[in-house]
């Protein structure tokens, strides 16, 4: 049993929390959303690095045993600094271009991620390790995160914007699409509407949580005697609307958790 902190610029990391609740139900969780500052994807590297470190430090101060940086953008810009500064397990997320390269049949892979992720050294270093016979079509999903934050993932507006962003990827005939931002799994329905059922969507949340699980195993604390666990939502903007979004967006069962919100003035 551990207290696990999950951090994202907004509601995107709920796609990771959802998977964590499935794989690791007998743990306490704090979900921290920096919704007052989302989207991160169009901000400077320096800003993202400093803010991500500050918020992960807050999670450490809340007593977390491990932190998932459930944001590709923050991982790309800040994970090294966070790991150097905090003496607990810190797990990041990266666009799944590696599994995509292994799974694609026609060698054409679309990568939808934030501008900051696509421009980052970390992403480009990973890309450089992949086989040159694979063609990666990179597309920044500008404007998508604010729509998801506003609860409009399934709106005609989101569908229209997504259609524009996916045009080049679709025209190139990609058989695989990497969801390189934790917000994008919430666009799955819209993506399927536009690209059909056959395109292989790569979402790394399952693998990320498996990694978290193996890190926790080495510091296992007993959950014996406990039948209830806590799930706390903290936001830099509005905790109650974060809780509403979580209930709407997540499919996992929260009934064995005592769900609560917390206001943290130090992050506002
Ligand atoms: N969910 C985030 C990611 O995985 C950040 C999106 C944003 O704030 O721009 O990249």
């Amino acid at each position: 049993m551990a207290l696990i902190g999950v951090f994202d610029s907004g509601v995107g990391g709920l796609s990771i929390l959802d998977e964590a609740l499935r794989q690791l139900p007998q743990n306490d969780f704090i979900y921290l959303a920096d919704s007052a500052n989302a989207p991160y994807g169009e901000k400077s590297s320096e800003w993202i690095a400093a803010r991500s470190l500050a918020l992960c430090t807050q999670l450490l101060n809340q007593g977390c045993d491990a932190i998932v940086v459930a944001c590709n953008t923050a991982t790309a810009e800040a994970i090294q600094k966070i790991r150097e500064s905090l003496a607990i397990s810190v797990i990041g997320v990266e666009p799944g271009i590696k599994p995509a390269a292994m799974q694609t049949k026609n060698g054409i892979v679309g990568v939808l991620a934030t501008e900051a992720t696509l421009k980052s050294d970390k992403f480009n270093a990973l890309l450089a390790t992949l086989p040159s016979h694979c063609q990666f079509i990179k597309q920044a999903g500008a404007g998508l995160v604010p729509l998801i934050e506003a609860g409009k993932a399934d709106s005609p507006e989101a569908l229209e914007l997504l259609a524009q962003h996916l045009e080049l990827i679709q025209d190139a005939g990609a058989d695989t699409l990497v969801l390189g931002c934790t917000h994008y799994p919430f666009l799955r329905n819209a993506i399927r509407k536009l690209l059909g059922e056959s395109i292989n969507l790569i979402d790394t949340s399952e693998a990320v949580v498996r990694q978290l699980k193996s890190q926790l195993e080495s510091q296992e604390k007993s959950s014996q005697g406990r039948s209830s666990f806590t799930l706390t939502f903290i936001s830099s903007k509005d905790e109650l609307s974060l809780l509403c979004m979580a209930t709407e967006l997540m499919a996992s069962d929260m009934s064995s958790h005592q769900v609560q919100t917390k206001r943290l003035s130090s992050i506002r």
Side-chain angles (χ1 to χ4, degrees):
M1 200 280 298
L3 173 58
I4 301 162
V6 180
F7 155 65
D8 181 46
S9 63
V11 298
L14 292 171
S15 59
I16 304 275
L17 176 66
D18 203 10
E19 183 59 33
L21 287 167
R22 258 192 294 272
Q23 286 191 45
L24 295 162
Q26 298 204 322
N27 289 279
D28 296 315
F29 290 91
I30 298 179
Y31 185 85
L32 197 166
D34 193 12
S35 296
N37 292 300
Y40 276 15
E42 287 138 47
K43 292 191 161 61
S44 74
S45 305
E46 295 72 24
W47 187 93
I48 298 165
R51 181 70 180 162
S52 302
L53 175 60
L55 293 187
C56 288
T57 305
Q58 294 292 330
L59 284 173
L60 178 76
N61 294 343
Q62 294 297 307
C64 288
D65 302 297
I67 293 174
V68 183
V69 178
C71 175
N72 293 264
T73 311
T75 299
E77 304 290 14
I79 196 99
Q80 203 180 331
K81 225 178 185 148
I82 297 169
R83 285 195 177 125
E84 281 163 13
S85 309
L86 309 184
I88 53 171
S89 297
V90 179
I91 291 99
V93 293
E94 278 186 314
I97 51 178
K98 220 170 163 178
M102 290 190 301
Q103 290 173 32
T104 178
K105 298 217 163 51
N106 68 4
I108 307 170
V109 174
V111 185
L112 189 63
T114 68
E115 195 186 320
T117 298
L118 294 176
K119 278 205 294 210
S120 70
D121 293 344
K122 197 167 191 325
F123 174 78
N124 286 292
L126 179 65
L127 197 60
T129 65
L130 297 179
S132 55
H133 65 261
C134 261
Q135 186 193 347
F136 290 95
I137 300 144
K138 294 171 279 172
Q139 175 67 50
L144 293 173
V145 166
L147 287 173
I148 299 163
E149 288 289 316
K152 292 181 179 168
D154 286 317
S155 67
E157 227 174 318
L159 197 69
E160 200 185 314
L161 184 59
L162 199 51
Q164 290 169 23
H165 287 326
L166 292 177
E167 202 180 330
L168 287 179
I169 292 171
Q170 190 168 25
D171 288 352
D175 68 353
T176 303
L177 175 66
V178 176
L179 304 179
C181 167
T182 53
H183 280 76
Y184 299 163
F186 298 122
L187 293 171
R188 205 177 277 270
N189 291 341
I191 293 171
R192 288 267 176 240
K193 253 186 220 163
L194 292 164
L195 301 183
E197 290 301 318
S198 64
I199 189 145
N200 182 18
L201 301 181
I202 306 277
D203 165 10
T204 56
S205 51
E206 205 185 315
V208 168
V209 176
R210 249 186 284 121
Q211 204 188 330
L212 167 68
K213 199 172 176 177
S214 84
Q215 299 229 4
L216 289 177
E217 268 154 19
S218 59
Q219 47 174 331
E220 194 67 59
K221 293 188 202 161
S222 171
S223 58
Q224 256 186 8
R226 282 192 61 186
S227 55
S228 172
F229 300 89
T230 58
L231 170 53
T232 307
F233 290 96
I234 300 176
S235 171
S236 58
K237 194 176 180 185
D238 178 354
E239 296 79 21
L240 283 179
S241 81
L242 172 62
L243 174 58
C244 279
M245 289 289 278
T247 315
E248 216 169 278
L249 293 172
M250 296 201 303
S252 57
D253 179 20
M254 291 192 261
S255 61
S256 60
H257 282 80
Q258 188 192 322
V259 180
Q260 58 195 25
T261 58
K262 186 167 179 176
R263 202 186 161 100
L264 212 60
S265 49
S266 52
I267 66 165
R268 293 189 174 230

mmCIF file of all heavy atoms in Angstrom, residues 8-9 12 39-41 71-73 114 117 145 180-183, ligand 1:
data_model
loop_
_atom_site.group_PDB
_atom_site.id
_atom_site.type_symbol
_atom_site.label_atom_id
_atom_site.label_comp_id
_atom_site.label_asym_id
_atom_site.label_seq_id
_atom_site.Cartn_x
_atom_site.Cartn_y
_atom_site.Cartn_z
ATOM 1 N N ASP A 8 -0.781 16.176 -13.526
ATOM 2 C CA ASP A 8 -0.896 16.581 -14.941
ATOM 3 C C ASP A 8 -1.247 18.065 -14.990
ATOM 4 O O ASP A 8 -1.637 18.670 -13.986
ATOM 5 C CB ASP A 8 -1.996 15.769 -15.654
ATOM 6 C CG ASP A 8 -2.127 16.148 -17.134
ATOM 7 O OD1 ASP A 8 -1.092 16.263 -17.823
ATOM 8 O OD2 ASP A 8 -3.260 16.354 -17.617
ATOM 9 N N SER A 9 -1.107 18.642 -16.186
ATOM 10 C CA SER A 9 -1.504 20.037 -16.367
ATOM 11 C C SER A 9 -3.005 20.214 -16.157
ATOM 12 O O SER A 9 -3.467 21.320 -15.922
ATOM 13 C CB SER A 9 -1.156 20.484 -17.788
ATOM 14 O OG SER A 9 -1.903 19.716 -18.722
ATOM 15 N N GLY A 12 -5.969 15.426 -18.202
ATOM 16 C CA GLY A 12 -5.397 14.367 -19.037
ATOM 17 C C GLY A 12 -4.898 13.175 -18.244
ATOM 18 O O GLY A 12 -5.138 12.018 -18.611
ATOM 19 N N PRO A 39 -3.369 24.877 -21.197
ATOM 20 C CA PRO A 39 -2.450 23.813 -21.562
ATOM 21 C C PRO A 39 -0.982 24.175 -21.337
ATOM 22 O O PRO A 39 -0.606 25.340 -21.460
ATOM 23 C CB PRO A 39 -2.716 23.639 -23.060
ATOM 24 C CG PRO A 39 -3.163 24.986 -23.531
ATOM 25 C CD PRO A 39 -3.852 25.624 -22.367
ATOM 26 N N TYR A 40 -0.192 23.157 -21.019
ATOM 27 C CA TYR A 40 1.252 23.336 -20.880
ATOM 28 C C TYR A 40 1.933 23.328 -22.261
ATOM 29 O O TYR A 40 3.013 23.874 -22.430
ATOM 30 C CB TYR A 40 1.853 22.169 -20.080
ATOM 31 C CG TYR A 40 1.795 22.292 -18.568
ATOM 32 C CD1 TYR A 40 0.974 23.219 -17.926
ATOM 33 C CD2 TYR A 40 2.576 21.451 -17.778
ATOM 34 C CE1 TYR A 40 0.927 23.293 -16.534
ATOM 35 C CE2 TYR A 40 2.543 21.525 -16.387
ATOM 36 C CZ TYR A 40 1.718 22.445 -15.767
ATOM 37 O OH TYR A 40 1.692 22.521 -14.400
ATOM 38 N N GLY A 41 1.302 22.643 -23.195
ATOM 39 C CA GLY A 41 1.939 22.297 -24.470
ATOM 40 C C GLY A 41 2.434 23.451 -25.309
ATOM 41 O O GLY A 41 3.255 23.282 -26.205
ATOM 42 N N CYS A 71 1.888 13.308 -17.655
ATOM 43 C CA CYS A 71 1.848 14.348 -18.671
ATOM 44 C C CYS A 71 3.093 14.180 -19.531
ATOM 45 O O CYS A 71 4.219 14.237 -19.016
ATOM 46 C CB CYS A 71 1.851 15.702 -17.967
ATOM 47 S SG CYS A 71 1.949 17.121 -19.061
ATOM 48 N N ASN A 72 2.885 13.947 -20.821
ATOM 49 C CA ASN A 72 4.028 13.765 -21.729
ATOM 50 C C ASN A 72 4.868 15.035 -21.800
ATOM 51 O O ASN A 72 6.094 14.981 -21.873
ATOM 52 C CB ASN A 72 3.529 13.432 -23.139
ATOM 53 C CG ASN A 72 2.857 12.084 -23.222
ATOM 54 O OD1 ASN A 72 3.476 11.104 -23.588
ATOM 55 N ND2 ASN A 72 1.590 12.016 -22.872
ATOM 56 N N THR A 73 4.189 16.184 -21.767
ATOM 57 C CA THR A 73 4.873 17.467 -21.904
ATOM 58 C C THR A 73 5.774 17.722 -20.695
ATOM 59 O O THR A 73 6.951 18.068 -20.841
ATOM 60 C CB THR A 73 3.824 18.594 -22.048
ATOM 61 O OG1 THR A 73 2.881 18.207 -23.051
ATOM 62 C CG2 THR A 73 4.456 19.897 -22.410
ATOM 63 N N THR A 114 1.655 17.313 -27.961
ATOM 64 C CA THR A 114 1.700 18.773 -27.863
ATOM 65 C C THR A 114 2.946 19.297 -28.587
ATOM 66 O O THR A 114 3.908 18.554 -28.811
ATOM 67 C CB THR A 114 1.741 19.256 -26.394
ATOM 68 O OG1 THR A 114 2.993 18.881 -25.821
ATOM 69 C CG2 THR A 114 0.606 18.696 -25.588
ATOM 70 N N THR A 117 6.105 18.797 -26.522
ATOM 71 C CA THR A 117 6.617 17.416 -26.539
ATOM 72 C C THR A 117 7.352 17.152 -27.852
ATOM 73 O O THR A 117 8.476 16.624 -27.855
ATOM 74 C CB THR A 117 5.449 16.401 -26.376
ATOM 75 O OG1 THR A 117 4.827 16.621 -25.122
ATOM 76 C CG2 THR A 117 5.940 14.970 -26.453
ATOM 77 N N VAL A 145 -6.475 20.333 -26.103
ATOM 78 C CA VAL A 145 -6.491 20.233 -24.628
ATOM 79 C C VAL A 145 -7.534 21.185 -24.012
ATOM 80 O O VAL A 145 -8.339 20.755 -23.170
ATOM 81 C CB VAL A 145 -5.071 20.431 -24.044
ATOM 82 C CG1 VAL A 145 -5.108 20.669 -22.540
ATOM 83 C CG2 VAL A 145 -4.210 19.206 -24.363
ATOM 84 N N GLY A 180 0.009 10.842 -28.045
ATOM 85 C CA GLY A 180 1.199 11.303 -27.326
ATOM 86 C C GLY A 180 0.935 12.375 -26.289
ATOM 87 O O GLY A 180 1.830 13.161 -25.950
ATOM 88 N N CYS A 181 -0.273 12.437 -25.798
ATOM 89 C CA CYS A 181 -0.653 13.382 -24.746
ATOM 90 C C CYS A 181 -1.714 12.660 -23.933
ATOM 91 O O CYS A 181 -2.609 12.026 -24.511
ATOM 92 C CB CYS A 181 -1.220 14.651 -25.388
ATOM 93 S SG CYS A 181 -2.065 15.765 -24.245
ATOM 94 N N THR A 182 -1.620 12.739 -22.614
ATOM 95 C CA THR A 182 -2.550 11.955 -21.791
ATOM 96 C C THR A 182 -4.001 12.443 -21.891
ATOM 97 O O THR A 182 -4.916 11.751 -21.463
ATOM 98 C CB THR A 182 -2.099 11.948 -20.316
ATOM 99 O OG1 THR A 182 -1.904 13.309 -19.881
ATOM 100 C CG2 THR A 182 -0.811 11.164 -20.138
ATOM 101 N N HIS A 183 -4.202 13.621 -22.446
ATOM 102 C CA HIS A 183 -5.576 14.076 -22.677
ATOM 103 C C HIS A 183 -6.225 13.320 -23.851
ATOM 104 O O HIS A 183 -7.453 13.203 -23.899
ATOM 105 C CB HIS A 183 -5.589 15.572 -23.034
ATOM 106 C CG HIS A 183 -5.472 16.501 -21.872
ATOM 107 N ND1 HIS A 183 -4.287 16.727 -21.215
ATOM 108 C CD2 HIS A 183 -6.399 17.300 -21.251
ATOM 109 C CE1 HIS A 183 -4.480 17.632 -20.251
ATOM 110 N NE2 HIS A 183 -5.746 17.982 -20.251
HETATM 111 N N1 LIG B 1 -1.681 16.014 -20.765
HETATM 112 C C1 LIG B 1 -0.507 16.610 -21.182
HETATM 113 C C2 LIG B 1 0.426 15.769 -21.993
HETATM 114 O O1 LIG B 1 0.381 14.565 -21.839
HETATM 115 C C3 LIG B 1 -0.391 18.090 -21.307
HETATM 116 C C4 LIG B 1 -1.245 18.760 -22.265
HETATM 117 C C5 LIG B 1 -1.122 20.252 -22.143
HETATM 118 O O2 LIG B 1 -1.303 20.760 -21.053
HETATM 119 O O3 LIG B 1 -0.846 20.882 -23.162
HETATM 120 O O4 LIG B 1 1.214 16.251 -22.740
#
